[in-house]
Amino acid sequence: REILRELVVVAEDAYVSLNDETEVRLGCPAMWEGDQRRRLIQLAKEAGVSVSESTVIDEPIAAGIAWINQRTRRGEHVRGKLLVFDMGGGTLDVAVLHVDGRPTQPGEKRIPPVISVQSSVGVDEAGDALDDAMEVDFVGRLAGLGFNVEGHPSREELIGWLRRAARVAKVELSVAEETTVVVGHPSIEVPTFSYSRQELETAFAPQLDRAVEVVRLALRSALMAQVKGPGDQRAMTPAAARALSDIDLASGVDYVVLAGGMAKIPAVRERLGLLLGGDRIWVGADEGSSRSGIDSTEMIALGLSFHEDSDRMNLHRPGFDFVLEWTDGDTGESHEAVVYEAYKPLYTPEQVFHRNSTKYLWRPAAASPLPRKGIGRLTVRSLTGERLDFSYNGQRLPGIRMEFGSRDFIVTLEPNGRVFWRDGGGREGAVRVAQWPVIRGRKQESIAIEDLPEEESSGWTVESLPWHLKPYD
């Protein structure tokens, strides 16, 4: 909160107002769920920054937007699957985007491409973890030179200086094969020593192996998500995705963009090049370099500034809550149960690798039983609590009618957009959300739904489903 307050002061000194929520964007790690995003929004508001749920965007998605924007503004044609590998200090985030854009002709108004997020996953292991591994190397090297860090009275202080030296060495070894490590403590004389890129890559290898597994997970997860783009590709089952080899996974990737400070480490480029093809690797905003002046560490900030592009984006998981509402027939009191919390992953990595189902399943908790009779409705709310309608063929639908009874109540959400339910009366129904959209406050007034394909519908159509469009019975 204090950092954000300081940001407000800096902005005001530069005559920049942070009072318009449509002009402010904040990035967050891909792994963040709804409660974390809500917390960031609340802290920003307390600090004096005007924000809404549309303010918070996944960092790897922002980096992808920056790269796409740079290419399309030059009139280039970006179309296909884009993998963003964003490794900074604290987290590794990997996103797979499907881009449907077209080149802009001279004098023609630019039309932002349609961007579909097929997957976005992250782990809390990145550059700081490499610093830890290098620190262990440095302690061992100094011990060989007769300097005992572990037994030194100022051990904790020295460890901090070694980590600082590790960060400097990482940068230098991104362009050099070897560097001299100078700890530089102002009052403790610490021997200098050489450290090679090969030694860095050896220390980094186990972590890089785990990072490649995150890439594989993101690619397989993307194949199970909805795709709204050329060919309107069908979603895969986990079993079908698991059966694909690395060559199969790589064959569907058209572009690979590296963002974050760790993108500068040659081992990252080389390893991802082996997996996905070196000719597809782009570092920063330009191929193999930063000729356009956009450094890999600046891509997220740049992408957050292109709000028109993020407005045309749909997500791989709902950015809104599903809520079951009802009124007590005896007391007239209103009640609700949260069926799904915004941004919660629909499935776990364990399901991707070991099961054949990636659906999110909700049942009422035993501690909070639903009524045994009466009528309710399934509704949608934005991250900040604003009610959103469904829409079908231009008709606005405030919610789906649900009956309470003795049967088990379940709702499932699938990454391909399918929503299925069986209410307490035993009635079943299903629709497909046309896309999980980015909610833009008042700009996004409804969630578009459509009929399922005939082979999945079991005779259901949206028009035949029991929508709650009348007062409660």
Side-chain angles (χ1 to χ4, degrees), residues 324-400:
L324 180 63
E325 302 176 345
W326 70 93
T327 301
D328 188 299
D330 298 325
T331 66
E333 296 180 351
S334 297
H335 299 274
E336 64 179 43
V338 177
V339 173
Y340 170 84
E341 294 183 4
Y343 293 100
K344 185 178 182 65
L346 297 180
Y347 51 87
T348 66
E350 190 270 341
Q351 289 175 284
V352 176
F353 290 119
H354 303 293
R355 298 185 185 179
N356 200 33
S357 173
T358 52
K359 65 181 64 174
Y360 169 87
L361 172 64
W362 176 84
R363 286 190 173 97
S368 304
L370 299 179
R372 305 296 285 182
K373 62 179 181 179
I375 301 294
R377 62 179 175 182
L378 185 66
T379 62
V380 173
R381 295 180 192 168
S382 70
L383 195 64
T384 52
E386 181 183 358
R387 185 182 297 278
L388 301 163
D389 290 339
F390 294 99
S391 66
Y392 173 73
N393 286 343
Q395 182 183 13
R396 297 174 65 85
L397 308 168
I400 304 174

Side-chain angles (χ1 to χ4, degrees), residues 370-433:
L370 299 179
R372 305 296 285 182
K373 62 179 181 179
I375 301 294
R377 62 179 175 182
L378 185 66
T379 62
V380 173
R381 295 180 192 168
S382 70
L383 195 64
T384 52
E386 181 183 358
R387 185 182 297 278
L388 301 163
D389 290 339
F390 294 99
S391 66
Y392 173 73
N393 286 343
Q395 182 183 13
R396 297 174 65 85
L397 308 168
I400 304 174
R401 178 188 175 100
M402 297 287 170
E403 290 184 2
F404 297 114
S406 59
R407 299 290 299 273
D408 290 338
F409 207 116
I410 64 169
V411 178
T412 66
L413 308 178
E414 299 179 28
N416 63 5
R418 184 175 183 264
V419 180
F420 168 85
W421 64 89
R422 185 180 68 222
D423 66 18
R427 300 179 313 153
E428 296 182 349
V431 297
R432 190 185 305 281
V433 176

Side-chain angles (χ1 to χ4, degrees), residues 252-273:
V253 179
D254 300 287
Y255 317 96
V256 180
V257 173
L258 308 185
M262 297 291 285
K264 299 180 179 181
I265 294 182
V268 172
R269 300 194 294 271
E270 293 166 5
R271 185 65 181 277
L272 291 180

Side-chain angles (χ1 to χ4, degrees), residues 67 81-83 219 246-258 269 272-283 286-288:
W67 184 85
K81 185 176 290 188
L82 165 66
L83 182 137
L219 287 171
D246 284 352
I247 295 176
D248 294 328
L249 289 174
S251 65
V253 179
D254 300 287
Y255 317 96
V256 180
V257 173
L258 308 185
R269 300 194 294 271
L272 291 180
L274 289 174
L275 177 66
L276 301 170
D279 58 332
R280 303 170 189 170
I281 304 292
W282 298 68
V283 181
D286 224 326
E287 185 178 19

Side-chain angles (χ1 to χ4, degrees), residues 69 141 152 169 282 293 456 469:
N69 194 287
R141 184 65 60 82
H152 199 281
W282 298 68
E456 300 178 31
L469 300 176

